[in-house]
Amino acid sequence: MPRRTAPIVSVGARLQAILEAFTETSPLLTLSELSRRTGLPLTTTHRLVGELLTGGLLERDELGRYRVGLRMWEIGSLAPRGLGLRASALPFLGDLFDATRNHVQLAVREGTEVVYLERISARDAVHVVSRVGGRLPLHATAVGLVLLAHAEHEVREQALAAPLRRFTERTLGTAAQLRRALADVRRDGYAVCNGAVELVSLSVAAPVRDQEDNVVAALSVVVPAKGANPRALIPVVRAAARGISRALGAPSGLRLPVAARHETHVLPEHG
Amino acid sequence: MPRRTAPIVSVGARLQAILEAFTETSPLLTLSELSRRTGLPLTTTHRLVGELLTGGLLERDELGRYRVGLRMWEIGSLAPRGLGLRASALPFLGDLFDATRNHVQLAVREGTEVVYLERISARDAVHVVSRVGGRLPLHATAVGLVLLAHAEHEVREQALAAPLRRFTERTLGTAAQLRRALADVRRDGYAVCNGAVELVSLSVAAPVRDQEDNVVAALSVVVPAKGANPRALIPVVRAAARGISRALGAPSGLRLPVAARHETHVLPEHG
DNA sequence: AGCCGGTCTTCCGTTGAACGGAAGAGGAGG
DNA sequence: CCTCCTCTTCCGTTCAACGGAAGACCGGCT
């Protein structure tokens, strides 16, 4: 399958370019902005946007600017890796939140990045940069380490080969460090990141598995780094993650390290 | 603008037909299923689906079936009427949930239907048919009545003209009944539906307003109909709805009916 | 084994839908 | 008034999209 040399030819690619033009920081765009961002001629943009509009994938606000439509949100909500996972996980996230009263997050891997599916936060919780629907690189977050540690070999090598963006002086900076961290995560069944994105916050993450025992998501708690005791958080995070895994039909319990068995009961199943 | 006679011509419409083929009950589709559902020739479906795949709007599972992709979910999460609203509302939904320990829902209107944006539920709460991302007709739910009561004249007439599907014997069945209910909602500033979707459940809803004082969403609590006292719920639901409105920049408080003023303090702003 | 029903995929000649330049309508600012 | 920006409509050209045909692949049935 040889690589095409032409810039953008198919209608499908053009339509997708238009949809991709919307971002978190610019959710409202005029026609000419869309035309500029996509590089498509104004007339073409006009016609394509018109089609998306009649389908409800885009909407216009009262000033005539375009925005992502509710229909888009609805269809997106059918993504099995989105709301499906979320629905199974939500009760356990709630339990974990009640137990910790700090940010509780659910995330999946997409390429070499983390995508956040859900977060529950207290009003006074420590600041976090990520957002539901937002992305962060895999190497800088606890959920990212968990997801990368259990990703296919090829993905792992790809992430290790890429330059590792440093957010703080505590962000993992070299491939060797990252490789060791991943080995630790696989051995221990959890990941801890202390100040890797922002110095003020520390997070603890554990893997969520599906029927085939694949790691499909990761769960984390984010607490203020100052005075935090990660060792106390590890059991509850792992228990919640295992609860979700069980709800997804994972072959639970059996593959627990012996020393961790008793943790199963830390978080009551029903109460 | 004369009506086109041709069935489906534009690529855009075809692509959207493919996306629309996915539903809550069938989120995994094979190529031929997609072809049958959309009415597109198999070859055409194959090519278009391929484009959506490279863009990440669709994904394939390990058996080769197609599903809505995470990219779709991400872009959908940029819809201002989706996650934007949700983010503003979530803390207030949480407060309301803590206060009532029953289903708490946030919904918007799309055409003549309700679309549910968010729900917080206790594990033992009464059964509800709707789902996050799901739809119900406007006339059968408390949120629907609120949204319809404040919709533009044209939308209201359209909803009144359509046949009213009856879920139970308590569902509003005639346009006259509905018209009176809407007038009540406008006068009182809330709506109550007792067993209109399922006999076992009762819901209380109130409107959420934006900067321009438009009703952009509705908030509701769903409780078991048996032994419920709606009058006790009305103040807390209205207070939470007003809290969200204020967070959205609505000209708050000023337009409250005099008798309701004191309710403002029922739900503490910060606690 | 061989056959049949279903799946999915590749190939390729035809054709009409998509394209985008041109022109004009509207609107804000000077 | 003119200028500069926006958005929208029109329409002749052309090339991407189309979809039939053919074949690969995978069960299940006899």
Side-chain angles (χ1 to χ4, degrees), chain B residues 17 19 61 95 109 147 165 169 189 194 198-199 217 230 239 259:
Chain B
L19 294 176
D61 67 4
D95 287 348
R109 181 178 65 78
L147 292 169
R165 176 175 164 208
E169 76 251 22
N194 188 345
E198 292 187 292
L199 286 173

Side-chain angles (χ1 to χ4, degrees), chain B residues 87-106:
Chain B
S88 303
L90 212 47
F92 298 96
L93 296 183
D95 287 348
L96 188 54
F97 176 73
D98 285 341
T100 62
R101 286 284 144 181
N102 274 286
H103 297 291
V104 171
Q105 302 182 317
L106 181 71

